[in-house]
């Protein structure tokens, strides 16, 4: 039998605008559509997905803290907080739950200020540049990591 898993999917600021926000960069799928794809992939992989979006740094920090004991891992697109937030980085390091960082766009092909991620050093890995596939690949990688027996990052 497969290890039952529950994964917190965190979406940061402005990702609620997906579908209408700079579609040339972020694609035309809405956040609801991305969440539906993740839930469907979760059914296939026998992992429950709980998506949360917030535009507020503290709400994201709280969600990471509350993940302890409830979720086995975290998939996060921290949006612009990727490039600014020591608090998110410290929250991920603090709970020590295996976490995968994803970005729709390739942050390394964009403006210099997007090239640095505060959270990259405290996650298992990062997938950037594949649109919605970044989320699906990141989710698969996280589930694989957890089922391979890596309960802690
Ligand atoms: C993003 C990239 C960030 O630089 C940006 O601020 C976002 C979205 C992405 O998914 O490509 O909001 O995380």
């Amino acid at each position: 039998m497969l290890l039952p898993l529950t994964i917190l999917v965190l979406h940061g600021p402005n990702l609620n605008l997906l579908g209408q926000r700079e579609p040339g960069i972020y694609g035309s799928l809405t956040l609801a559509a991305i969440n539906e794809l993740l839930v469907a992939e979760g059914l296939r992989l026998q992992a429950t997905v709980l998506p949360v979006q917030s535009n507020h740094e503290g709400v994201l920090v709280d969600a990471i803290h509350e993940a302890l004991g409830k979720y086995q891992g975290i998939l996060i697109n921290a949006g612009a907080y990727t490039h600014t937030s020591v608090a998110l980085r410290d929250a991920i390091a603090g709970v020590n739950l295996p976490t995968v960082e994803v970005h729709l766009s390739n942050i390394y092909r964009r403006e210099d200020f997007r090239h640095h991620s505060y959270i990259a050093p405290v996650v298992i890995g990062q997938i950037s540049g594949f649109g919605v596939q970044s989320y699906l690949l990141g989710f698969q990688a996280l589930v694989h990591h957890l089922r391979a027996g890596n309960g802690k990052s």
Side-chain angles (χ1 to χ4, degrees):
M1 213 184 81
L2 284 178
L3 179 70
L5 294 175
T6 311
I7 307 295
L8 176 64
V9 176
L10 274 183
H11 307 280
N14 302 307
L15 294 168
N16 54 308
L17 295 180
L18 286 177
Q20 67 180 70
R21 174 192 183 203
E22 301 182 88
I25 296 175
Y26 299 117
S28 53
L29 282 186
T30 62
L31 190 63
I34 291 175
N35 285 335
E36 275 173 30
L37 289 170
L38 285 168
V39 168
E41 186 64 6
L43 281 175
R44 195 179 74 81
L45 299 176
Q46 296 181 46
T48 306
V49 170
L50 277 120
V52 172
Q53 188 276 332
S54 180
N55 295 319
H56 304 278
E57 191 174 12
V59 172
L60 295 166
V61 169
D62 286 344
I64 293 167
H65 292 179
E66 285 159 18
L68 256 189
K70 281 195 215 152
Y71 303 95
Q72 284 75 49
I74 302 173
L75 185 73
I76 184 167
N77 182 352
Y81 289 142
T82 305
H83 319 298
T84 63
S85 181
V86 177
L88 277 183
R89 179 229 177 269
D90 285 354
I92 293 166
V95 298
N96 198 27
L97 283 170
T99 299
V100 171
E101 172 185 358
V102 298
H103 300 283
L104 294 155
S105 63
N106 181 347
I107 57 176
Y108 303 100
R109 292 185 69 177
R110 301 184 61 198
E111 302 95 325
D112 285 355
F113 66 85
R114 294 186 205 275
H115 295 181
H116 178 257
S117 165
Y118 276 97
I119 64 179
V122 296
V123 298
I124 305 162
Q126 182 199 73
I127 299 177
S128 164
F130 296 97
V132 66
Q133 289 299 323
S134 292
Y135 278 95
L136 293 168
L137 292 166
F139 180 61
Q140 288 162 8
L142 180 58
V143 168
H144 183 271
H145 176 89
L146 291 166
R147 293 228 165 97
N150 302 292
K152 291 282 171 190
S153 50

